[in-house]
Amino acid sequence: KMEMKIKNLHAAGIDVGSKSHFVAVGQGDDEIKEFGVSHSSHQEIICYLRYFGIETVAMESTGNYWQCLSLALTQAGFKVLLVPGTQTKAFRKTDVKDARQLQLLHSLGGLSSCYIPDEFTSKVRELARHRKSMIQECSKHINKMQKCLRLMNIRLDVVLSDVVGVSGLKIIQAILQGERDPHKLAALANRRVRKTKEQIADALVGNFSQEHLYELKDCFEIYEFIQTKIQDVDNELSRYYTEYQGEIQTNEEVQLAKKQLKGKNQPKFSVQQIAYKMYGVDISAINGVSVNTILTFMSEVGTSIYKFPDAKSFTSWLCLCPNNKISGGKKLSGRTPKGKNTLALALRDAANVIGNQKQGYLSSFFKKIGLKKGRFTAITATARKLAVIIYNMITKKEEYSEQKNEMYRNNLREKQLAKAIKMLKNNNFQVVDFEGVVV
């Protein structure tokens, strides 16, 4: 027999299920018990764990079935360890064996926990994700409205860049109210539209079939209803942050970066001011980071960013750093692991915007990686750099500065010069240094 040191003496393991939970307080058959999933069953689990003197509990992150039980255990004073599926996928898949294996490994200290945000961040995250799902639902109905207009040969999408913009909504609403004259419909377009009134009127001549008009009306009403609900969610988020932080006010001396605040999907409350009061730094000063990216960061991480000991742990949680596999002293693979982290997706979107910019330190970095390994790899690398910058800004209270841009260009120029000189020397060329030569 091999002796191993027990690190967590009073530990339990819980296999979480949709209809029942199996709780193991030891390795014996009489130390594993099945409970239900109701509130009364949660109280029975708490009493059962207290009877055996349990202090810490490891449970598997199965769907969203673990959340209510985890909250009840945390409020009861237990230390909860949420184990990701990557650590339990090798278990023999029976409920009793899973619970026993979780208890054993947790007792020996062989399990690591997932990131669990604090209570306030969990509430805000739920609302922010609900807001994002409604925006996605709006996009579906916008596509259906475009389809209905296209089938009636009303090519509003050709003459307008945004079908549900100011001009597009006015024209669609007039069509639903019975207007059929293309010139009167074209007159509703805003003067900033680049197409002429004659071109717009020509695109609005179509066959107004009843079935497509009915579908268009339904989609338009659903779209407007969801837009009002998004506004309600924004008001609720603003209320949450106001109750958490107090009245949101910044000093007149503090000048936050100017960001695009107009648009259908932009939050209708002061996200930049809330983020500055929460973290003490202006995250919006980073090029490519929009207000929506800041809102995603606040809702997914919040003030729990200090749970990560360093930037490497933070980027590893985001699945933005290479997963190096080394065997026999050789690197077998370095692919970035797959993941559906909401914040990582937002940072990738910000990195894609940075790739389209012409100036800036991050844009230079993006183009350097893109030339070597392609745009997709450059998006991942830039998203990781954004995560490191944001982490250092918040934890070290450092403001973002674009002065690194010139320093980065100089370093890159020196490396390119050194590489060119080395290549010339390897090919037996004589390299002579001249003063005042601009390379």
Side-chain angles (χ1 to χ4, degrees), residues 336-347:
T336 304
K338 295 182 179 179
K340 297 181 180 179
N341 191 295
T342 306
L343 178 57
L345 294 175
L347 292 176

Side-chain angles (χ1 to χ4, degrees), residues 1 5 69 117 146 182 265 343 363 366 378 424:
K1 294 183 180 180
K5 183 179 180 181
L69 179 59
Q146 288 180 336
N265 301 329
L343 178 57
S363 178
F366 184 98
L424 290 172

Side-chain angles (χ1 to χ4, degrees), residues 9-75:
L9 184 62
H10 307 285
I14 300 178
D15 179 70
V16 179
S18 60
K19 297 181 179 179
S20 63
H21 302 321
F22 286 82
V23 181
V25 294
Q27 294 298 300
D29 293 337
D30 58 340
E31 294 177 318
I32 300 176
K33 190 175 180 180
E34 182 180 5
F35 294 88
V37 296
S38 62
H39 176 73
S40 59
S41 299
H42 290 171
Q43 299 304 314
E44 291 177 5
I45 292 175
I46 292 172
C47 295
Y48 183 72
L49 294 174
R50 284 176 176 170
Y51 177 79
F52 285 95
I54 300 299
E55 298 176 356
T56 176
V57 180
M59 63 172 59
E60 189 178 1
S61 59
T62 305
N64 56 5
Y65 302 121
W66 60 270
Q67 294 183 1
C68 294
L69 179 59
S70 174
L71 180 62
L73 292 175
T74 303
Q75 292 177 348

Side-chain angles (χ1 to χ4, degrees), residues 232-244:
D232 293 341
V233 173
D234 287 345
N235 296 335
E236 190 71 8
L237 283 169
S238 179
R239 185 181 66 82
Y240 268 55
Y241 281 115
T242 303
E243 291 179 355
Y244 179 71

Side-chain angles (χ1 to χ4, degrees), residues 391-407:
Y391 180 88
N392 290 331
M393 285 178 65
I394 295 174
T395 56
K396 299 179 182 178
K397 303 301 178 185
E398 296 177 352
E399 292 290 347
Y400 179 76
S401 176
E402 266 293 331
Q403 293 178 355
K404 292 183 178 180
N405 185 28
E406 193 61 32
M407 189 186 304

Side-chain angles (χ1 to χ4, degrees), residues 178-186 204:
E179 184 61 57
R180 300 291 181 265
D181 189 351
H183 295 285
K184 291 183 179 179
L185 292 173
L204 295 176

